[in-house]
Amino acid sequence: MLYNTLGGSDLQVSALSLGVWQLGDPGFWGEEACSSPADLVAAAIDHGITLFDTAELYGNGSSEELLGAALKGRRDEVLLASKVSTQHCTAEGIRSACENSLSRLQTDRIDLYQIHWPFPPADYAAVQETLEALRQEGKIREIGVSNFGRRDLQGWMAEGTAVSNQIGYNMLFRAPEYEMIPACRKHNLGVLAYMPLMQGLLTGRFKSTEEIPFQRRRTRHFSCTREGTRHGQVGHERLLWDTLEDLSDFADAIGVPLSVLSLCWLMRQPGVSSVIIGSRKVDQLLFNLQAAQLDIGPAATAQLNEATYPLKVALGRNCDMWESDDNRRIN
Ligand SMILES: NC(=O)c1ccc[n+]([C@@H]2O[C@H](COP(=O)([O-])OP(=O)(O)OC[C@H]3O[C@@H](n4cnc5c(N)ncnc54)[C@H](OP(=O)(O)O)[C@@H]3O)[C@@H](O)[C@H]2O)c1
């Protein structure tokens, strides 16, 4: 496992980290049998993962609770990242949200406390003051943001600090490369990449749009006729499946599973400090962790860039995977 320094902080994070939205949120992920949180967390730590990502939003606090319990006795071996929801981004709201997260996580400190989504800039100064106070009190170690675009970052960094930006980024969604990642690098923020496998699509397990659970096919890749979409656009389904076919062929040709190839590509993109893998099964996690041992090299990376370029162009610069340009929440 590689370890990277997170932005301007002194946190050393594993290049692959574990996202635990999958714990305690069957409403989104489904009721399928999964490993116990304790087994999952132990397997991750034993294979070199040091960063665990959750949020107060996931399963309405259940994800934090299950992670806190699963880390009993091993808390000091890891870095804990959690997120505050937008509706709690006020001076008073953020303090109680943080204290509730600490209690659910059964810890006295959150190593990286992130703003989950951008919120009105008029509240930035008050929120930053409270975050700084929480830091002085030792309740949080570092401040991070999530889903902040170039302009969002410009506003936020003018008033305060952050060491990381957590963003949706994978081979099928490269919009952050235009402006968001260069802005992170400019402000010395580490990138934490979420949805690295496009919620399963980049494993090759789904063979048609109909096979994908509806919660996972609401992004701008899919037609607005699909249940749950909000973007109102025609989508790019044909191009998406053509791209996936090319990627699968390439993975087969070099003998690397598509999920592992996808993680390898992402881990080595400029600015990326850690790739957050979501998994609720030990076997699946260990399979994906093959990426920690593999360097696909510049030639394969260039070929993957080329194969995914038409989709990158079609989806454009809007970094909001779910909303149209007019309604985007990331600016
Ligand atoms: N900041 C944000 O706004 C934000 C948004 C989304 C996610 N996140 C964070 O990022 C983490 C990861 O993102 P994500 O979970 O949405 O997406 P992801 O990591 O792209 O996809 C995870 C899902 O892909 C499937 N999968 C993984 N490996 C597989 C394999 N080898 N074979 C077949 N299927 C496989 C599993 O589905 P099954 O469980 O159905 O098998 C798994 O739950 C989350 O846990 C969360 O911590 C943050």
Side-chain angles (χ1 to χ4, degrees):
M1 179 71 72
L2 290 169
Y3 296 87
N4 296 314
T5 302
L6 188 65
S9 75
D10 62 359
L11 303 181
Q12 292 293 313
V13 296
S14 45
L16 289 170
S17 42
L18 185 67
V20 298
W21 176 14
Q22 278 73 2
L23 301 184
D25 198 356
F28 187 95
W29 291 101
E31 302 281 354
E32 217 179 303
C34 47
S35 306
S36 80
D39 287 349
L40 193 69
V41 165
I45 298 174
D46 293 344
H47 287 80
I49 287 183
T50 56
L51 177 65
F52 290 76
D53 180 70
T54 181
E56 60 168 341
L57 184 72
Y58 300 159
N60 206 10
S62 295
S63 167
E64 288 184 326
E65 269 169 12
L66 290 167
L67 179 60
L71 277 171
K72 269 232 160 87
R74 303 197 75 172
R75 167 66 184 97
D76 292 339
E77 295 175 55
V78 306
L79 297 172
L80 270 182
S82 193
K83 305 182 209 82
V84 55
S85 302
T86 322
Q87 74 267 27
H88 294 145
C89 286
T90 60
E92 320 74 56
I94 203 161
R95 174 169 285 278
S96 58
C98 179
E99 282 164 0
N100 290 335
S101 286
L102 285 167
S103 142
R104 284 189 292 267
L105 287 163
Q106 301 184 42
T107 187
D108 60 353
R109 67 195 183 284
I110 294 170
D111 299 290
L112 179 67
Y113 197 48
Q114 306 155 102
I115 307 283
H116 207 146
W117 281 87
F119 62 100
D123 296 326
Y124 279 4
V127 164
Q128 285 181 347
E129 198 179 316
T130 309
L131 284 172
E132 193 46 45
L134 288 165
R135 194 145 68 120
Q136 295 297 328
E137 293 160 33
K139 291 180 174 163
I140 64 176
R141 276 178 73 187
E142 297 290 356
I143 298 162
V145 293
S146 170
N147 298 304
F148 274 48
R150 181 181 62 81
R151 279 192 283 152
D152 302 319
L153 279 180
Q154 206 172 330
W156 179 263
M157 297 305 283
E159 307 242 16
T161 61
V163 299
S164 58
N165 192 9
Q166 188 176 133
I167 69 178
Y169 184 30
N170 60 55
M171 284 204 290
L172 300 175
F173 191 73
R174 295 176 56 197
E177 293 174 3
Y178 290 106
E179 289 189 340
M180 202 181 196
I181 294 174
C184 291
R185 296 178 77 188
K186 175 180 157 200
H187 293 289
N188 196 20
L189 267 57
V191 168
L192 301 176
Y194 73 72
M195 271 173 74
L197 300 177
M198 198 67 207
Q199 298 187 332
L201 210 54
L202 277 169
T203 67
R205 73 190 246 188
F206 302 119
K207 302 295 175 214
S208 69
T209 303
E210 287 68 30
E211 274 182 40
I212 307 172
F214 89 90
Q215 295 95 329
R216 307 191 202 184
R217 58 171 195 216
R218 297 173 304 136
T219 60
R220 293 192 289 112
H221 303 77
F222 300 99
S223 158
C224 62
T225 58
R226 304 288 179 189
E227 182 187 359
T229 51
R230 303 188 296 246
H231 54 71
Q233 297 164 347
V234 291
H236 308 278
E237 293 188 14
R238 188 64 266 146
L239 182 55
L240 172 68
W241 288 106
D242 286 348
T243 306
L244 267 170
E245 197 179 323
D246 287 350
L247 293 176
S248 295
D249 288 349
F250 184 75
D252 288 347
I254 63 167
V256 176
L258 181 57
S259 65
V260 176
L261 185 67
S262 305
L263 297 173
C264 283
W265 176 86
L266 193 50
M267 282 165 79
R268 283 160 185 92
Q269 293 308 309
V272 172
S273 300
S274 189
V275 169
I276 310 176
I277 25 182
S279 187
R280 48 190 171 151
K281 298 160 200 148
V282 169
D283 290 355
Q284 205 177 67
L285 173 67
L286 298 186
F287 187 86
N288 293 340
L289 282 176
Q290 292 175 74
Q293 315 298 333
L294 199 69
D295 184 352
I296 55 170
T301 301
Q303 272 181 273
L304 293 169
N305 286 344
E306 199 180 315
T308 54
Y309 186 72
L311 190 58
K312 172 179 171 173
V313 172
L315 286 163
R317 292 168 170 258
N318 175 4
C319 291
D320 192 326
M321 251 189 258
W322 297 269
E323 294 281 7
S324 66
D325 282 13
D326 289 345
N327 292 331
R328 65 189 193 177
R329 298 158 293 174
I330 301 176
N331 287 288

